[in-house]
Amino acid sequence: MSDGYDGGGYERVAYDNTDDDGDRYDGVGFDGRGAASAADERRDAPTPVQERTFAALPPARGRGFAESWWGRAWLKALEDTALDGEQLKKGRRFAREGRVGAVTVRPGRITAVVRDRDASAYRGDVLLQELSEADWERFLDMAASRAGHVAALLDREMPPHLVEDAAAAGVDLLLGIGDLDPECTCEAWDHCPHTAALCYQVARLLDQDPFVLLLMRGRGERRLLDELQVRIADRAEGRAPSDPAAPDGSGVPEAGAQDRGVRADEAFDARDILPPLPAPPPLPVEPGPAPSLDTEAGPEPGVEPAVLEMLVTDSAARACRMLADALSPGHEHQPLPMELTPRQDAVRLIADAGPEPWIAARLAAGSGRSCLDLDAAVRAWRYGGAAALAVLDEEWTPDAETLAGARTRLAEAWEEGERPRFSSAGNRWTAVEEGVQLRFGRDRRWWPYRAESGRWVPAGPADDDAAAALGGSGVTDD
């Protein structure tokens, strides 16, 4: 069956993340001409059509469709909007099987051809509201005043505070319930498997590049960066429409303002136009060696040199990791790590430091774990740190609302007839015949376990999708 889709009617791609030579775009004003002259050229240039086309993605078996928080927000908008959950399940299956063709993204519309299992092809479109020119003006003014937002986007990240600052400026970047309007040549009046499959595939694209969301909202990457560069150049050249230092907004500071120094908010705003700080020194390739405690003088009673050397080596390795984390982009927006209990830290030491067996035995005894329990705890730590340890050690019963939501998510993770036969107790769902177990953590993620020597042991990292958790752990196929 044909839907009449022939690829016609689309204008040439004018904006995407590469230039005509295939080189990645790094912004305006870095080519030797100066930011202001480049910005002047961009200011006067006509606005071309914006469009990007992404090649068909491979099947997505054994993984969730969205890992980023903004990708999950996109799927929530889809799932909150669609009236028929069965159509979503079929669409999710189509996307997992790789039945979605190339995806074209334009302001206000996404399009792809989706094949049914009988090889029929349908063109699915999903329409969404573009931001108005006034919305974009507010967003661009906000982003230009905060260099961290631009840097995050260039790193293909969309930190929550960018969305929050946009919302504070009156601009809703993320989609909500009812914002995705489907159209399909199968003539369904609501989301059908074809438009649902398209949306699930777009979630994967959003994970890779948040500029896809901004293009759907009306601005492609190059145009957006050009307009931001114009604003930054205007600020650097003093072409802002008004100066915050002037009480009347006229741009003329009141008499005597220079005598009082620089206002704190002005100094903070100037961070975007000041020269960058020098680069930090490079990280060491590896932590330095631990000092040797093999000296002529014997140790004090109760001091074990081998244990002390292990602790010093572990401390150096942790310090190196902490420094690397502190220098990574977006570190300032990450939550503070939770403080470990001695029982948890004993497991971490064994997992990270790999001490000699007699030291591991002492750590096990001190943490109140048997050797078998300790082996399971070390596996859990390596899959998910303290959160995975909590799931291993704690059995709890979710409240009625949380339990109902977990059951719904579990039912939707598999297609009809594919889900293992689970029995539930508290936060644990067990399929004895398959030898697998899913544990629902307080973080609302699924943790896979498998039967081993009559015990349930951690089998892999957590996932929001139960099927992906089991498939990614290798204990069962998707």
Side-chain angles (χ1 to χ4, degrees):
M1 173 179 180
S2 172
D3 62 350
Y5 174 65
D6 59 4
Y10 292 99
E11 299 191 54
R12 179 181 177 271
V13 174
Y15 274 119
D16 63 9
N17 62 339
T18 56
D19 60 20
D20 292 338
D21 297 323
D23 296 326
R24 180 156 297 282
Y25 173 67
D26 293 322
V28 188
F30 301 100
D31 57 0
R33 295 174 297 160
S37 61
D40 289 337
E41 292 179 15
R42 296 295 185 183
R43 186 184 292 106
D44 299 331
T47 301
V49 174
Q50 304 174 95
E51 178 179 301
R52 291 179 68 182
T53 298
F54 299 85
L57 296 176
R61 295 187 179 276
R63 65 178 299 276
F65 282 98
E67 298 176 359
S68 64
W69 73 271
W70 59 89
R72 292 195 294 270
W74 166 267
L75 289 183
K76 186 176 188 304
L78 166 68
E79 292 161 359
D80 287 347
T81 299
L83 300 178
D84 189 343
E86 286 300 316
Q87 301 300 314
L88 291 186
K89 290 174 69 174
K90 291 179 181 178
R92 188 165 62 241
R93 184 173 68 243
F94 282 3
R96 282 196 185 281
E97 294 173 351
R99 297 184 176 277
V100 181
V103 176
T104 298
V105 181
R106 299 183 297 282
R109 181 184 293 265
I110 56 176
T111 304
V113 173
V114 181
R115 292 179 292 105
D116 271 344
R117 286 184 166 176
D118 64 358
S120 299
Y122 297 90
R123 170 177 156 167
D125 292 74
V126 175
L127 284 63
L128 57 147
Q129 185 67 43
E130 296 181 53
L131 297 180
S132 67
E133 287 300 319
D135 288 337
W136 278 113
E137 289 295 315
R138 290 194 295 273
F139 176 80
L140 291 165
D141 287 340
M142 178 277 299
S145 69
R146 294 166 174 82
H149 290 339
V150 181
L153 288 171
L154 288 174
D155 286 337
R156 287 340 192 233
E157 293 288 335
M158 184 176 287
H161 63 86
L162 185 153
V163 176
E164 292 166 1
D165 288 349
V171 182
D172 291 325
L173 289 179
L174 300 181
L175 284 300
I177 185 171
D179 287 345
L180 300 177
D181 187 15
E183 291 182 355
C184 185
T185 53
C186 75
E187 300 183 354
W189 61 274
D190 186 37
H191 275 287
C192 61
H194 314 108
T195 57
L198 169 60
C199 288
Y200 279 109
Q201 204 77 313
V202 167
R204 297 173 67 184
L205 299 178
L206 288 171
D207 262 7
Q208 300 168 13
D209 189 352
F211 277 107
V212 173
L213 174 63
L214 297 175
L215 175 55
M216 289 190 284
R217 284 301 212 181
R219 286 291 190 278
E221 177 178 354
R222 181 169 295 183
R223 180 179 175 188
L224 179 67
L225 295 176
D226 286 352
E227 292 179 348
L228 283 171
Q229 188 66 32
V230 167
R231 279 166 168 74
I232 294 171
D234 284 346
R235 290 163 60 88
E237 295 294 321
R239 291 198 293 253
S242 64
D243 189 328
D248 58 0
S250 64
V252 181
E254 61 180 320
Q258 294 298 325
D259 299 335
R260 296 195 299 269
V262 179
R263 288 166 50 102
D265 58 349
E266 293 174 17
F268 183 76
D269 286 341
R271 70 195 187 283
D272 295 339
I273 57 176
L274 293 174
L277 293 173
L283 282 171
V285 177
E286 59 185 13
S292 173
L293 301 181
D294 184 13
T295 62
E296 293 181 0
E300 291 291 324
V303 175
E304 294 281 0
V307 174
L308 189 56
E309 287 183 3
M310 181 203 73
L311 292 175
V312 171
T313 300
D314 175 70
S315 297
R318 293 181 68 192
C320 190
R321 287 197 299 270
M322 291 170 66
L323 181 59
D325 289 342
L327 295 177
S328 64
H331 170 75
E332 67 274 16
H333 307 301
Q334 299 300 317
L336 292 174
M338 64 181 296
E339 185 175 351
L340 300 181
T341 65
R343 178 178 169 86
Q344 293 171 325
D345 202 43
V347 175
R348 183 200 64 78
L349 270 171
I350 296 174
D352 292 350
E356 297 180 22
W358 67 271
I359 299 178
R362 287 178 57 178
L363 286 169
S367 66
R369 298 180 188 271
S370 67
C371 291
L372 287 176
D373 289 341
L374 184 63
D375 178 68
V378 169
R379 292 192 199 186
W381 179 270
R382 288 171 175 164
Y383 285 132
L389 270 184
V391 172
L392 172 72
D393 292 336
E394 181 184 15
E395 184 172 2
W396 60 287
T397 301
D399 59 58
E401 181 179 354
T402 302
L403 187 61
R407 286 173 173 164
T408 299
R409 290 172 55 191
L410 193 67
E412 292 177 347
W414 282 273
E415 304 304 329
E416 190 67 31
E418 296 179 358
R419 181 165 66 96
R421 297 179 60 183
F422 289 109
S423 60
S424 63
N427 68 319
R428 301 178 180 184
W429 275 260
T430 305
V432 176
E433 294 180 1
E434 288 84 357
V436 298
Q437 184 183 80
L438 284 168
R439 298 190 180 184
F440 190 62
R442 293 186 184 274
D443 57 3
R444 304 299 189 267
R445 293 187 296 167
W446 298 98
W447 297 81
Y449 278 66
R450 66 165 171 261
E452 189 174 291
S453 301
R455 302 163 55 86
W456 292 109
V457 297
D463 200 288
D464 293 326
D465 184 286
L470 286 182
S473 69
V475 297
T476 186
D477 294 330
D478 180 42

